Amino acid sequence: MAEADSDLDLENDEAEWPAEKPRKYDSGAADLERVTNYAEEKEILSSDLETAMSIIGDRRSREQKAKQEREKELAKVIIKKEDVKLIMNEMEISRTAAEHSLREHLGNVVEALIALTD
């Protein structure tokens, strides 16, 4: 009778454990999901990059246009040759830098010199 009880115990133990499924193809779906997610993220990042680049390009073109307009306005300012020579000699800078400083300060030599010393 002891043998019969031990046989029953073995049979009960086997009944509690489910049969193992082959795990050969289980990871394939997870791998495919990871690859798909990676591709989608890369696609999103590239579209974000394109959008950012176009925004930066637009901003640069606007800044360039504003700079050109500012230069046109400054070119209209009348400056004296003596003032340009004075600033060139005192500050030891090029003619274009001296002219630019004078034009920015509407021909006022004192303001141009002060701005150059700051």
Side-chain angles (χ1 to χ4, degrees):
M1 182 104 181
E3 283 182 33
D5 286 338
S6 65
D7 286 340
L8 280 175
D9 288 338
L10 287 177
E11 288 176 12
N12 287 341
D13 286 344
E14 289 174 5
E16 289 177 16
W17 294 96
E20 281 193 35
K21 295 181 182 178
R23 296 183 180 229
K24 200 178 216 182
Y25 299 105
D26 286 352
S27 66
D31 290 342
L32 180 61
E33 183 68 26
R34 277 188 241 125
V35 169
T36 306
N37 288 344
Y38 175 77
E40 288 172 352
E41 287 174 9
K42 191 172 179 182
E43 205 172 285
I44 289 169
L45 288 175
S46 69
S47 69
D48 288 347
L49 180 64
E50 290 171 7
T51 304
M53 292 300 290
S54 70
I55 290 170
I56 290 170
D58 291 345
R59 183 179 299 151
R60 282 186 182 166
S61 65
R62 280 185 273 143
E63 289 173 356
Q64 185 67 23
K65 188 176 180 181
K67 185 177 178 181
Q68 288 174 349
E69 289 176 8
R70 175 78 175 142
E71 290 298 323
K72 285 180 184 179
E73 290 176 18
L74 290 178
K76 294 178 185 176
V77 175
I78 298 171
I79 55 174
K80 296 178 186 175
K81 289 183 183 181
E82 305 86 48
D83 294 341
V84 173
K85 287 181 182 179
L86 173 71
I87 291 177
M88 286 174 55
N89 291 334
E90 292 298 320
M91 301 304 294
E92 297 179 358
I93 58 173
S94 68
R95 177 177 296 281
T96 56
E99 287 178 357
H100 186 70
S101 179
L102 271 172
R103 290 184 193 281
E104 281 184 337
H105 296 91
L106 305 174
N108 188 328
V109 179
V110 176
E111 287 181 14
L113 284 169
I114 291 171
L116 287 169
T117 56
D118 285 342

